[in-house]
Amino acid sequence: MALMKRFQGKVAIITASTQGIGFGIAERLGLEGASVVISSRKQKNVDEAVEKLKVRGIDALGIVCHVSNAQQRKNLIDKTIERYGKIDVIVSNAAVNPSVDNILDSQESVLDKLWEINVKASILLLKDASPHLEKGSSVVFISSIAAYQPQSSMAMYGVTKTALLGLTKALANEMAPDTRVNTVAPGFVPTHFADYITKDASVRKRLEETTLLNRLGTTEDMAAATAFLASDDASYITGETLVVAGGLPSRL
Ligand code: NAP
């Protein structure tokens, strides 16, 4: 399929983007013409991902950034501005689910980590980035179907993802009219992150059957939705969440 070139001349930062959904988003935006700034915690992963993108003809800059490290977040923005002079798109994709404990059995340190990485780091990154965001720019958060129906193995993780839905509304208001803020809420996608759910063949089959479309999601599905929201095709959409979950129950 020939892709449109909606991001020609645009600069996009995608966090946690050396594999999985983040990498898929970087690849999609890059193939549509964006210069993409990718990042994750490990230099080796960053280098390998940049190489893969370059092979596809994409202009990619790779920077190590653990999203809860203030210095590394600042460096991510500074290096982007040094190289490209502006930011058009930020996709905030990093998240953890460090425990399958019930909420009331969770250690305080686990609750702190969930808040810190899944919510607070997204806000702090935008704080650093906001002076550089162009008129017509766009922010996309990656939430989850678990934001609507937090299952027990991911209950508190789900609540942090619910918080992103509120953050989307609040920041859409705060950053208007120059910057639009939207969210993608993925269903189940067989990535490293979801291994503990999707690796087991029988669990995977059960999950597939709970969707209306009889399959798990792909990183390309998530990338397509993110690209839409980040692009001018969505220029009258802000403060919204697009559920990309094969029909899994979300909300009316
Ligand atoms: P993934 O395939 O496991 O990829 C995770 C990426 O994040 C890697 O590039 C990893 O690289 C990087 N990373 C991990 N911790 C980081 C941190 N603290 N700071 C910066 N980078 C970090 O995960 P994924 O499934 O694509 O998940 C991406 C997003 O989708 C998350 O927000 C997740 O909640 C959401 N989501 C996923 C699913 C699903 O079924 N997969 C469903 C709903 C929502 P390094 O190891 O080098 O840091």
Side-chain angles (χ1 to χ4, degrees), residues 16 18 21 40-41 45 65 67 93 95 143 157 161 187 189 191 193:
T18 56
I21 292 169
S40 78
R41 293 167 300 178
N45 294 346
C65 177
V67 292
N93 170 63
S143 175
Y157 160 84
K161 293 299 193 178
V189 183
T191 62
F193 178 82

Side-chain angles (χ1 to χ4, degrees), residues 151-180:
Q151 301 179 356
S152 59
S153 69
M154 51 179 94
M156 194 58 213
Y157 160 84
V159 174
T160 62
K161 293 299 193 178
T162 314
L164 292 182
L165 309 189
L167 189 63
T168 303
K169 293 284 182 200
L171 288 181
N173 183 34
E174 200 168 306
M175 297 175 83
D178 287 351
T179 304
R180 296 179 300 103

Side-chain angles (χ1 to χ4, degrees), residues 13-212:
I13 294 178
I14 306 103
T15 65
S17 44
T18 56
Q19 63 175 8
I21 292 169
F23 181 81
I25 293 168
E27 189 175 40
R28 173 72 190 237
L29 299 183
L31 288 173
E32 287 206 43
S35 295
V36 293
V37 182
I38 63 157
S39 59
S40 78
R41 293 167 300 178
K42 302 189 189 99
Q43 185 73 57
K44 180 171 175 290
N45 294 346
V46 170
D47 292 344
E48 286 172 6
V50 165
E51 231 10 78
K52 278 194 220 157
L53 293 169
K54 286 194 169 155
V55 164
R56 302 216 58 193
I58 292 167
D59 177 29
L61 171 65
I63 294 164
V64 168
C65 177
H66 187 315
V67 292
S68 64
N69 181 318
Q71 197 51 49
Q72 292 184 2
R73 280 194 309 266
K74 185 174 178 307
N75 186 50
L76 176 66
I77 303 300
D78 289 351
K79 289 274 158 42
T80 303
I81 295 303
E82 236 169 69
R83 167 80 76 97
Y84 298 111
K86 63 166 186 166
I87 305 167
D88 300 286
V89 174
I90 296 195
V91 181
S92 185
N93 170 63
V96 283
N97 184 19
S99 158
V100 292
D101 289 343
N102 289 331
I103 293 177
L104 297 184
D105 296 329
S106 294
Q107 307 254 359
E108 188 173 347
S109 59
V110 167
L111 299 176
D112 286 345
K113 188 167 184 186
L114 279 161
W115 161 252
E116 170 121 359
I117 296 194
N118 297 7
V119 186
K120 193 173 90 174
S122 301
I123 298 169
L124 293 175
L125 181 71
L126 288 181
K127 246 178 113 135
D128 288 342
S130 61
H132 308 287
L133 284 170
E134 294 280 290
K135 189 172 171 51
S137 59
S138 165
V139 173
V140 181
F141 293 115
I142 304 301
S143 175
S144 169
I145 189 68
Y148 298 96
Q149 304 288 339
Q151 301 179 356
S152 59
S153 69
M154 51 179 94
M156 194 58 213
Y157 160 84
V159 174
T160 62
K161 293 299 193 178
T162 314
L164 292 182
L165 309 189
L167 189 63
T168 303
K169 293 284 182 200
L171 288 181
N173 183 34
E174 200 168 306
M175 297 175 83
D178 287 351
T179 304
R180 296 179 300 103
V181 183
N182 293 293
T183 287
V184 170
F188 294 99
V189 183
T191 62
H192 176 65
F193 178 82
D195 261 359
Y196 77 108
I197 316 170
T198 56
K199 218 169 34 186
D200 181 289
S202 63
V203 176
R204 183 180 169 132
K205 187 159 184 301
R206 198 152 32 82
L207 278 178
E208 285 168 354
E209 286 167 0
T210 56
T211 71
L212 299 182

